[in-house]
Amino acid sequence: MNLTEILNWRYSTKEFNPTKKISNEDFEQVKTLLQMSPSSTNIQPWHFVIADSKEGKERITKGTQGFFQFNEQKIKDASHVIIFCARTDADDKYMQHLLDQEEKDGRYPNKEVKQMVFGARNLFTNIHRYDLKDLQHWMEKQVYMNMGSLLIGVATMGIDALPMEGFDLKLIDEEFGLRKKGFTAVGVVSLGYRTESDFNDPTKTPKSRLPEEEIFTIL
Ligand SMILES: Cc1cc2nc3c(=O)[nH]c(=O)nc-3n(C[C@H](O)[C@H](O)[C@H](O)COP(=O)(O)O)c2cc1C
């Protein structure tokens, strides 16, 4: 499939085949997608809680009670479920931790370059912390970019996905003790394989998008 075909093949899967699991080998690549996503200043303000067992998925369904019931089965039947968590702060300790990792990965030919990157990342972070006062929101945006790249990336592997915001994220934070660890849940993605009966499959219910002439300005 070329990219256009892949983009039309993928859709928000509403019914997962509960008997079909993503192989360990494929899931290793999915983890690479999550790890390798780009982020502004390489801030990587994320953590992922991943469930592939019945028990793990049951715990995640604590966030689909009441109003969010409509998403419950999509968790239970999925092969793997990923909770996307964003940092609630980027303190000095974390900034130093990022710098140390980059040094370990061989990004700094000398102390000057290292210091320059450290300064630039702190500058950007402080613009968001103090001037724009949207540090947490900015970090969440980076997490959403990661979610977007996951959705397209898994489609290239023939894996179906459903992103979900229809979740009681406060309950998810509590269930996994996320806030104490400096994180908060921003969304959940189910992964697996579509059933033949899924009404939302584009061969049954066509996808809908605004037309090109409306969304593009070509200069
Ligand atoms: C951030 C985000 C949150 C979403 N939340 C839900 C959800 O809670 N439940 C659901 O069934 N679909 C959810 N969707 C699916 C969207 O409705 C779907 O992506 C959109 O209609 C476009 O269709 P497509 O993904 O099939 O191309 C969500 C999508 C995104 C990107």
Side-chain angles (χ1 to χ4, degrees), residues 7-200:
L7 293 172
N8 282 294
W9 174 86
R10 76 143 291 280
Y11 73 106
S12 285
T13 303
K14 308 284 176 161
E15 224 179 72
F16 288 94
N17 180 342
T19 63
K20 215 169 157 191
K21 295 289 283 184
I22 298 170
S23 69
N24 289 341
E25 198 187 359
D26 276 358
F27 200 73
E28 283 306 309
Q29 292 198 56
V30 173
K31 279 166 43 194
T32 305
L33 265 171
L34 297 169
Q35 185 183 23
M36 297 308 286
S37 176
S39 57
S40 181
T41 71
N42 205 19
I43 186 115
Q44 305 169 69
W46 43 59
H47 187 80
F48 308 97
V49 177
I50 299 172
D52 68 341
S53 64
K54 189 170 183 289
E55 300 70 35
K57 288 185 279 180
E58 283 292 337
R59 284 182 71 187
I60 296 179
T61 61
K62 293 199 176 149
T64 57
Q65 304 310 306
F67 179 70
F68 300 113
Q69 193 77 36
F70 60 92
N71 276 332
E72 181 151 320
Q73 207 58 36
K74 303 161 188 168
I75 300 295
K76 287 185 170 167
D77 292 341
S79 167
H80 289 65
V81 182
I82 304 170
I83 304 173
F84 279 70
C85 312
R87 296 190 73 83
T88 51
D89 195 9
D91 58 15
D92 291 347
K93 194 168 156 228
Y94 181 64
M95 298 306 266
Q96 186 60 46
H97 176 54
L98 283 174
L99 198 70
D100 292 346
Q101 184 66 49
E102 286 165 342
E103 180 158 50
K104 210 165 113 194
D105 290 334
R107 288 197 51 88
Y108 298 127
N110 55 52
K111 273 194 181 129
E112 287 70 37
V113 177
K114 183 179 167 189
Q115 210 41 48
M116 195 184 74
V117 172
F118 189 57
R121 185 182 292 125
N122 274 301
L123 187 75
F124 263 91
T125 306
N126 281 336
I127 287 174
H128 287 285
R129 179 181 283 120
Y130 297 117
D131 304 344
L132 301 172
K133 304 193 190 314
D134 71 343
L135 179 60
Q136 205 176 338
H137 182 54
W138 176 66
M139 291 194 290
E140 283 177 12
K141 286 196 256 182
Q142 315 307 320
V143 178
Y144 266 87
M145 285 220 335
N146 191 319
M147 197 188 287
S149 88
L150 176 82
L151 298 178
I152 307 304
V154 294
T156 68
M157 301 170 66
I159 296 173
D160 286 305
L162 174 68
M164 284 166 279
E165 283 179 326
F167 247 82
D168 190 328
L169 296 171
K170 187 175 176 192
L171 285 186
I172 292 288
D173 280 1
E174 283 167 10
E175 175 64 22
F176 296 98
L178 294 174
R179 295 182 188 182
K180 276 190 292 222
K181 296 176 189 153
F183 290 95
T184 183
V186 301
V188 179
V189 176
S190 280
L191 299 176
Y193 299 95
R194 64 190 70 176
T195 61
E196 277 182 17
S197 53
D198 187 353
F199 78 93
N200 207 35

